[in-house]
Amino acid sequence: MMKKKSLVSILTLSMAISLLSGCGGGSAKKNDGSTTGNSANKTTETSDGEVVEITFMGWEASPLETKAVEDGIAEFEKQNPNIKVNYTPAGKGGSDYNAKMIASAAAGSLPDVLFVASDTYRDMVARGAIEDLTDMFDSELSFNDYIESSKQIMEVDGRVYGLHSCTVSPIAYYNKDVFDAAGIKYPSADPADSWTIEEFRDIAKKLTTDDIYGCYGLENVADTLNAQLLSNNGKRYNDDYTKSIINSPENKEVLKIIKEIRTVDKSMPDATTLDSVGMTSKQMLQTGKVAILIDGSWSMQELADTGMNVGIAPMPSYARVTTTGQAHVHSISKTSKHKEEAWKFLKFLAGYDYLGAVCHTGLWMPNRISFYEEENWDKWMNPDIHGEDYKLMLNYFKNAEVDPSALQKTAKGRDIVIEETDMYFKQDQDLNQTLENIDRRINEAIQENLEDMK
């Protein structure tokens, strides 16, 4: 049983969320005013038959992402005139969104279909909040068509509770105009010939001037940090993800190098510098204030939209060339009254009409092996956005290692890493103390979560 105190807090929060979001459970109305169940699951009788309304909730990482989702919904409704999808983007995602979903699960008020962050997916499964899709999945989709990182994220004890939406990976973007002005050769997009961290560091120093920082983003968030730790053969968790083991010589080396690039080389600003000039990291890259930006692959859409002269390359490597892959999962709530329609919608979200279209914008990358076959490139690849360098990196994305945060046993892990590494990078907290704190706090959070699940 969940702890009483925790349950009361969650129920209180979830009641407020239900009022605000308009996606609460309980009752649904037909157009004759009768009640059929969930209030968000309206059904309307038309001359052509019953139109089922399903609710769908996600987050708004950017207006471009929301537009892509809404365009996909319009296409689905065109193909399925008997199903209407009511979409609600609930904030920017992250911890607030995860807390809302967990609270809504406790109150039985989840929407029919929802984004589930990869680092919260196992938590939602353990709470029994989302539907087991294994039988439908096995009868209509091919598990082996998904790339390895997606398979690892979707599968929990041999069952599937959500369809992995796509994959995204941290990569390096660079301003070609800044490289040209400095007379420095572009980095290779071919992973077999990509830059090491020593070469990256040397180039960043050469590009740094009184007006330009050589790079930004290495210390930014766990999404970029985990790829660097794995590249140096570091680990975040033990084999069954029940214990944080970030305090290792391999991980210490990575964090030490990252900090030296800012404090010794003086070629990387911290986030406060960007705040003081009132620019985002992408704006700094676009305007040539930063020469190289380490960021998620999802930024390709926004950077392409600026029309800047941008190039892409793999992450700088430590012991080996690699990056991470993860993304949210599309799931059906356990309390949905319209699981058949919701499953039809989930299959649409996993196909070329939706996933292919969103990949075409540069926002997401495909997580199906068949998408990476050359005869299918024209169904999702956009030469105006992806370019020839992107083709050199296809196997790099397809074979990305699963981001360890996606398999963790607590949704608090990502925030803990960000909080503690920020104190190391920005407030001079001792490195050993930083890693000890991360292990201790995450292990406490794992145990707390496991107790809540009893």
Side-chain angles (χ1 to χ4, degrees):
M1 293 289 290
M2 188 177 296
K3 288 181 178 178
K4 185 176 180 180
K5 183 177 179 181
S6 300
L7 180 60
V8 169
S9 299
I10 288 172
L11 288 172
T12 302
L13 176 58
S14 64
M15 289 172 65
I17 291 167
S18 296
L19 290 171
L20 289 170
S21 67
C23 66
S27 64
K29 295 179 180 178
K30 292 184 176 182
N31 62 348
D32 62 2
S34 63
T35 299
T36 62
N38 193 316
S39 64
N41 301 123
K42 299 176 182 177
T43 57
T44 305
E45 296 288 338
T46 71
S47 58
D48 296 323
E50 186 179 76
V51 175
V52 176
E53 295 187 24
I54 60 175
T55 50
F56 179 34
M57 182 171 286
W59 53 71
E60 183 175 77
S62 71
L64 291 173
E65 178 173 10
T66 298
K67 184 179 185 308
V69 174
E70 291 174 344
D71 288 347
I73 291 172
E75 178 60 28
F76 174 77
E77 291 178 338
K78 181 180 176 182
Q79 296 178 17
N80 299 271
N82 63 322
I83 303 174
K84 178 173 174 52
V85 179
N86 295 317
Y87 180 59
T88 304
K92 295 289 186 182
S95 300
D96 289 346
Y97 179 87
N98 294 342
K100 287 178 182 178
M101 291 302 104
I102 290 172
S104 295
S109 58
L110 285 172
D112 295 295
V113 178
L114 62 151
F115 284 25
V116 180
S118 57
D119 61 358
T120 310
Y121 176 59
R122 278 157 175 74
D123 194 320
M124 296 288 277
V125 171
R127 293 173 189 275
I130 50 181
E131 186 73 11
D132 185 341
L133 307 175
T134 310
D135 292 342
M136 293 184 287
F137 185 98
D138 287 345
S139 66
E140 299 186 60
L141 297 171
S142 170
F143 189 67
N144 288 330
D145 189 32
Y146 282 85
I147 61 176
E148 187 60 32
S149 58
S150 291
K151 288 195 287 189
Q152 290 184 50
I153 291 171
M154 286 193 295
E155 185 175 14
V156 181
D157 298 329
R159 311 296 292 179
V160 172
Y161 298 84
L163 302 189
H164 199 221
S165 59
C166 62
T167 192
V168 292
S169 300
I171 59 172
Y173 300 92
Y174 59 93
N175 188 318
K176 290 184 176 180
D177 293 338
V178 175
F179 273 70
D180 290 342
I184 295 177
K185 183 182 176 184
Y186 300 150
S188 173
D190 184 350
D193 191 33
S194 64
W195 44 17
T196 64
I197 187 63
E198 292 82 9
E199 292 167 340
F200 173 91
R201 191 172 175 174
D202 183 57
I203 291 172
K205 283 193 288 187
K206 289 178 179 175
L207 289 165
T208 299
T209 69
D210 290 342
D211 301 316
I212 299 171
Y213 287 102
C215 62
Y216 180 75
L218 289 170
E219 65 183 46
N220 196 9
V221 295
D223 284 346
T224 58
L225 180 59
N226 281 340
Q228 297 174 79
L229 300 181
L230 293 181
S231 174
N232 204 36
N233 294 322
K235 291 185 176 181
R236 284 285 315 279
Y237 292 96
N238 63 353
D239 290 343
D240 64 1
Y241 286 79
T242 57
K243 185 177 181 181
S244 173
I245 55 170
I246 196 172
N247 192 0
S248 70
E250 294 83 3
N251 292 335
K252 283 181 185 176
E253 182 181 20
V254 171
L255 290 168
K256 183 172 179 289
I257 289 173
I258 292 173
K259 188 166 183 176
E260 285 179 351
I261 291 174
R262 181 168 58 81
T263 60
V264 178
D265 300 351
K266 309 291 186 185
S267 55
M268 180 170 66
D270 66 19
T272 58
T273 302
L274 275 63
D275 292 340
S276 66
V277 298
M279 298 176 75
T280 67
S281 58
K282 298 179 192 64
Q283 289 169 333
M284 292 284 280
L285 181 72
Q286 180 191 353
T287 56
K289 302 296 183 185
V290 163
I292 308 165
L293 171 64
I294 305 297
D295 202 350
S297 54
W298 56 85
S299 293
M300 201 174 301
Q301 179 193 36
E302 188 174 338
L303 290 172
D305 198 50
T306 67
M308 67 168 291
N309 195 13
V310 62
I312 60 172
M315 294 278 288
S317 63
Y318 291 77
R320 57 194 173 89
V321 179
T322 191
T323 190
T324 54
Q326 59 85 29
H328 67 277
V329 173
H330 292 132
S331 292
I332 300 173
S333 72
K334 197 81 170 178
T335 55
S336 172
K337 304 297 183 185
H338 300 294
K339 292 187 173 65
E340 181 180 342
E341 291 79 9
W343 171 246
K344 184 175 286 188
F345 183 49
L346 249 64
K347 286 189 298 178
F348 172 82
L349 296 177
Y352 282 107
D353 285 342
Y354 180 72
L355 175 56
V358 181
C359 291
H360 190 78
T361 69
L363 180 64
W364 294 352
M365 299 190 300
N367 59 357
R368 307 278 286 277
I369 293 173
S370 53
F371 279 55
Y372 287 89
E373 295 170 354
E374 188 168 353
E375 61 265 31
N376 292 322
W377 288 357
D378 62 351
K379 297 178 181 177
W380 63 272
M381 204 179 293
N382 184 343
D384 293 334
I385 292 176
H386 297 104
E388 291 301 311
D389 282 351
Y390 188 84
K391 294 177 182 176
L392 295 174
M393 295 173 66
L394 286 178
N395 285 332
Y396 180 71
F397 299 132
K398 187 174 70 174
N399 299 323
E401 299 178 57
V402 64
D403 189 311
S405 295
L407 305 182
Q408 62 192 7
K409 301 286 186 183
T410 172
K412 297 179 181 177
R414 185 188 300 269
D415 287 345
I416 291 171
V417 170
I418 293 173
E419 290 165 7
E420 293 292 340
T421 54
D422 272 0
M423 285 193 281
Y424 166 67
F425 288 131
K426 301 172 185 174
Q427 301 177 31
D428 291 331
Q429 177 172 261
D430 178 74
L431 179 55
N432 289 323
Q433 186 66 57
T434 297
L435 297 178
E436 289 172 9
N437 288 351
I438 291 173
D439 279 342
R440 175 182 52 76
R441 291 180 62 191
I442 290 181
N443 288 331
E444 289 174 354
I446 290 173
Q447 290 306 311
E448 180 182 358
N449 217 30
L450 292 176
E451 286 297 318
D452 278 349
M453 294 299 104
K454 291 182 179 177

